[in-house]
Structure formats: C-alpha cells, structure tokens
Amino acid sequence: MPLRRGRGDPSWRSAGPVDSGIWRVSTTPDGPATVHLSRRTDGTVVARAWGPGAHWELDGLPSLLGADDDPDSFVSHHPLIADAARRMQGMRLGSTRRVWDQLVPAVLEQKVTGTEARRSWRELAWRFSDPAPGPAPRGMRVPPSPAQIRAVPDWEWHRAGVDSARRRAILAAAAVAHRLEKAVELGGEEGRILLRRIPGIGVWTAAEIAQRAWGDPDAVSFGDFHIPTVVGWALVGRPLDDAGMLEVLEPYRPQRHRAVKYVEVSGFRRPRFGPRFSPRDYREM
C-alpha cells in the first residue's frame, strides 16, 4: 500500500486476528482524524471515523479509494503492460487530498534506504505528535503537524537519523505548509511545480507526493534508485537511466506513472547483480 510507510508506521495499522480492515490516521484542514476501513464480502467498503477531521475524511473516502481516477483512457504500448492492465482492471490511483502528510515521509526517503527513512518517520511521530483520536489501536499517532515539526530541536533531528539537508527541506515546507495544499487543487504538472518551489523538494519528491495526494497518473519518480532499472529490464531488456526511461515512457504521457505501476504489479523481476545498498546511520556521524 503506497500510503503505508513500513510495517511500523504509527499512522497506519493493519487488522489483527480479531479486528478486520485497516486503521489510518491523518491530518485534515479541520484537525486530526482516525479512520477505520473494512470491506464486506460483497465488496462494499465500510468506513468509520473519529476526531475533528472525521467528516472531512469520510467525505473524501471515494477519492481515497480511487473514484476520481480514470484508467479507461490508458493505452498500452507493450505486451507486459497490456497484460498487467488486463489482469489488474480494478487498480485505481487513490487521492488523500492532503499534501503535508505525504510530504514529510517523502522528504525523509530522499537518498537513503527505506529502512532508514521509515525509522526516522517512526521516531518523529512517536516523540513529537499526538495520539490518534478515537478507539485507534494502541501506539497509533497523528502525523506531526507543521507546528510540531518546527518545534523539533536540532539535536532531536540528529537523534532521529535525519541529516541537515532533509531537515532544512522539511522545515522550509512546514513554514508554508498551508500554501502547499493548493497543489492538490492545481493537480498535474502545475501542482508539482508548486511543490518544487520549496528548496530541497525536487522532481522525485514532488512526484512521490503527487502520486498519493492527488493520484497523479503522470507523476513519474525520476531520480529513483530502482525504477529506471526495473522499467528498462521489463520494457527493453536492459537497465536505463532517467533519460532512457523518459524516452521509453513518452508514449504513455499523460499517464506515465500508471504505466510504471503496471510494470510494478506485473510480477516481472529484474536480474540481480552486485551488493545491495547499505544503510547509513546519521546518528553516528
């Protein structure tokens, strides 16, 4: 699930042996909200919500589940993608309608391993945010608000394993967080351009936010460590750099991100070569 930041994400909890469904905690324009989602045997999704932002979250449930997405206009140009699109006809790009909750973890994922980024996200949420409203499972937290982020002392960023470059980007975004929410309304390239006005938020980070905040079907994560290689092996039989991936995906504009998602869910596995990237612990630097 693209909204979940690792198995220990304090703002997300999958069902346990007794409960069914998932729990999700978010910020909203009206305040924090906890939502519980479950699905009946007939496919109907049932949602309950608590907190000041409960109504806002429930109003946006169709968008979260992909009701605003339009995959029908997508045209496949490769057998692998065509097969994935046929098999995954129910796949939709959901929209949280909220930039801030996606921005902080996206910036934390810049140029580090997923393990490092998820650890930093957990530690910031556990130490500097509020408990989830309502009957959420124990330990769930609201994503830190812009005000809470601005109040984090310098040494606590270091303790959470966040280097100065990512810290500066997050703090710069926190100072104008209310303005960045307009990116959802703008959508597409305009929305991504607005996000990239923040120093430290580039093409990759803006795309990662856009994919989740407004389900942008064309927001490709150029600059990603893995995606060009996977797309290259899947579509042309060799690894690609960003320039090569841009050329290969051009026929799919304005749904290039959807094409990448079909590659990812196709079951294709690229050849493995060499050692894996090793995490760095910024707390020891």
Side-chain angles (χ1 to χ4, degrees), residues 64-82:
L64 184 68
L65 298 178
D68 301 332
D69 190 28
D70 179 25
D72 294 338
S73 60
F74 181 81
V75 178
S76 300
H77 298 276
H78 190 282
L80 182 143
I81 291 179

Side-chain angles (χ1 to χ4, degrees), residues 206-220:
E208 291 287 311
I209 298 167
Q211 292 163 12
R212 296 163 173 82
W214 62 87
D216 192 329
D218 201 47
V220 180

Side-chain angles (χ1 to χ4, degrees), residues 6-276:
R7 296 182 62 182
D9 187 346
S11 66
W12 182 282
R13 189 70 55 86
S14 297
V18 177
D19 182 28
S20 62
I22 60 172
W23 293 85
R24 177 174 175 267
V25 190
S26 62
T27 66
T28 81
D30 301 326
T34 298
V35 178
H36 178 265
L37 301 171
S38 60
R39 186 170 61 181
R40 295 173 177 165
T41 55
D42 63 359
T44 302
V45 175
V46 179
R48 294 179 293 163
W50 299 264
H55 290 296
W56 191 89
E57 277 290 347
L58 291 177
D59 287 344
L61 180 61
S63 297
L64 184 68
L65 298 178
D68 301 332
D69 190 28
D70 179 25
D72 294 338
S73 60
F74 181 81
V75 178
S76 300
H77 298 276
H78 190 282
L80 182 143
I81 291 179
D83 179 68
R86 177 185 56 80
R87 290 187 293 105
M88 306 296 291
Q89 292 184 18
M91 189 182 79
R92 296 292 185 272
L93 303 177
S95 309
T96 66
R97 307 178 299 147
R98 189 72 174 161
V99 165
W100 175 252
D101 290 4
Q102 311 311 317
L103 185 149
V104 176
V107 174
L108 290 175
E109 291 172 359
Q110 292 177 353
K111 299 180 180 180
V112 297
T113 65
T115 299
E116 294 172 274
R118 290 190 289 268
R119 180 183 64 207
S120 297
W121 173 242
R122 288 195 304 269
E123 294 190 10
L124 289 172
W126 284 338
R127 296 210 299 271
F128 301 105
S129 67
D130 298 320
R138 183 178 179 182
M140 293 200 72
R141 311 288 291 185
V142 181
S145 69
Q148 288 171 327
I149 284 293
R150 292 197 301 269
V152 176
D154 289 349
W155 63 87
E156 291 288 2
W157 288 101
H158 186 77
R159 181 181 175 190
V162 183
D163 61 276
S164 59
R166 289 180 293 159
R167 181 191 66 191
R168 286 194 300 268
I170 293 173
L171 290 175
V176 293
H178 61 291
R179 300 178 186 174
L180 297 181
E181 296 299 333
K182 188 180 179 182
V184 175
E185 178 184 337
L186 294 172
E189 179 64 15
E190 286 189 78
R192 283 176 263 140
I193 289 174
L194 175 59
L195 297 177
R196 294 202 300 269
R197 291 179 181 174
I198 302 299
I201 293 184
V203 172
W204 182 89
T205 307
E208 291 287 311
I209 298 167
Q211 292 163 12
R212 296 163 173 82
W214 62 87
D216 192 329
D218 201 47
V220 180
S221 301
F222 291 107
D224 192 271
F225 185 74
H226 300 288
I227 292 177
T229 302
V230 174
V231 170
W233 278 111
L235 301 186
V236 297
R238 57 183 172 83
L240 296 172
D241 56 14
D242 278 343
M245 184 171 69
L246 176 64
E247 182 179 353
V248 167
L249 293 179
E250 184 60 30
Y252 295 98
R253 190 189 295 268
Q255 300 206 45
R256 294 173 297 174
H257 170 57
R258 193 187 307 279
V260 172
K261 293 300 295 183
Y262 281 136
V263 170
E264 292 177 341
V265 303
S266 69
F268 174 83
R269 294 293 180 268
R270 67 180 177 87
R272 299 286 184 175
F273 304 103
R276 301 181 67 180

